[in-house]
Amino acid sequence: MHNAAFAAHGVDAEFELRAIEPDEVGPFFEQARQPEWLGFGVTAPYKQVTMQHLDEVEPGAAAIGAVNNGLRRDDGSLVGFNTDASGFMSAVKSMGVSVAGRPAVVFGAGGAARAVVWALLDAGVESVFVANRGTERARELATSLGVYGTVIARGLDDPALPAAMGSAGIAVNATTVGMTVDDVPFDVAPLAQDALVFDLVYVPPETPLVREATARGLMVCNGLEMLVRQGEIAFERWTGIGSTAEIMRDALRSWMSESEAEA
Ligand code: NAP
């Protein structure tokens, strides 16, 4: 996805995938300070520990507690940011949906849920109802992000959940259900007809939740669009070149159909 955008814009750079062990994290970031680097991306399980190795963490990423991308400044210093949050919101906006002033419901309380809840609060939702399998993790999320707005943390079988869904402008799946388990993370029936269902899962792109919400005639966005948008935002931070979503989307689609054909 990134390499397709580098090629399309004639940028002599490569996005290289590296698997690193926990004791290689520090040396990796020392390397990333070298002049030939534009920046970096990190994924689980290193989104938190990365923050200790940077010179600056931008406020959104600090609030979320995770960095997933960063750039190298000309002086060799490294600044980390979080494009899961901005990529999610860019994908929401691409659907023509405004979440401001309405309640939201988020399923999950892991790293991705933290980015989504922060992004929704930052976008001015009235409140976020966080429903998670483990209530303790949901409460931790509410405690740390509750300073940015109203966050209600509950279990998946909480009796207040159907009413919260009925008034929500957006319902987000930020669990791994649909990826690791072939099931829906929640029932779409209580949602209002103008609500947006957003599934962060992108493998597979069409999850049981996406199918059910589509069948009910709801607006639906899947995780691929968020992946593309967060990539576009990081790419622009590294190169100054924007509007690469289409190139990245095409590259991702061909990669996915090649992977499916090989499987
Ligand atoms: P994570 O930190 O491991 O959190 C996983 C979440 O899923 C937790 O809330 C967990 O609940 C819940 N969960 C797992 N199995 C469950 C089950 N059987 N029933 C109900 N809940 C279950 O993972 P993450 O990094 O937040 O990622 C979550 C999802 O978002 C993944 O599918 C990931 O691929 C996707 N994601 C997509 C993008 C994108 O650009 N589209 C970006 C980031 C992440 P407990 O707390 O109870 O264990």
Side-chain angles (χ1 to χ4, degrees):
M1 182 171 99
H2 294 296
N3 286 335
F6 282 135
H9 288 280
V11 179
D12 182 19
E14 189 188 357
F15 192 96
E16 189 186 306
L17 184 62
R18 293 201 190 169
I20 59 172
E21 297 300 322
D23 62 355
E24 294 168 334
V25 175
F28 170 80
F29 284 107
E30 280 317 307
Q31 229 186 24
R33 291 169 189 279
Q34 300 307 308
E36 67 271 24
W37 287 66
L38 290 173
F40 60 87
V42 285
T43 190
Y46 298 128
K47 289 184 182 181
Q48 287 81 26
V49 74
T50 287
M51 295 195 288
Q52 300 166 17
H53 299 277
L54 306 177
D55 302 286
E56 188 189 327
V57 174
E58 292 186 354
I64 293 160
V67 157
N68 74 329
N69 278 286
L71 60 84
R72 178 195 176 278
R73 293 195 191 101
D74 289 344
D75 64 358
S77 60
L78 298 176
V79 54
F81 42 92
N82 189 303
T83 62
D84 283 337
S86 45
F88 165 75
M89 203 41 75
S90 170
V92 168
K93 284 183 187 150
S94 76
M95 302 290 297
V97 170
S98 167
V99 294
R102 282 184 79 176
V105 178
V106 175
F107 290 83
R114 291 182 64 87
V116 165
V117 170
W118 184 84
L120 288 167
L121 293 172
D122 190 53
V125 293
E126 184 206 79
S127 58
V128 185
F129 191 108
V130 175
N132 194 46
R133 181 176 60 178
T135 44
E136 193 46 45
R137 206 171 178 194
R139 273 197 287 270
E140 279 166 24
L141 186 158
T143 305
S144 61
L145 294 180
V147 291
Y148 302 101
T150 306
V151 183
I152 303 142
R154 300 284 163 81
L156 292 174
D157 54 2
D158 192 87
L161 182 56
M165 288 187 74
S167 60
I170 182 168
V172 184
N173 174 36
T175 76
T176 51
V177 176
M179 177 175 82
T180 52
V181 195
D182 189 29
D183 200 357
V184 285
F186 58 87
D187 178 14
V188 296
L191 288 169
Q193 205 58 41
D194 67 344
L196 170 65
V197 173
F198 200 120
D199 195 346
L200 260 61
V201 172
Y202 53 88
V203 180
E206 200 187 72
T207 58
L209 176 65
V210 167
R211 276 198 296 277
E212 278 199 11
T214 307
R216 266 222 46 218
L218 297 164
M219 279 183 291
V220 184
C221 192
N222 74 5
L224 275 184
E225 194 53 27
M226 171 168 161
L227 188 65
V228 165
R229 300 275 167 170
Q230 66 83 27
E232 179 186 44
I233 292 164
F235 192 87
E236 185 164 5
R237 296 287 306 266
W238 299 329
T239 62
I241 301 167
S243 304
T244 52
E246 203 177 322
I247 298 164
M248 292 192 171
R249 200 178 294 117
D250 288 350
L252 203 53
R253 283 197 184 127
S254 15
W255 176 77
M256 289 192 109
S257 40
E258 277 166 29
S259 309
E260 268 168 32
E262 278 168 23

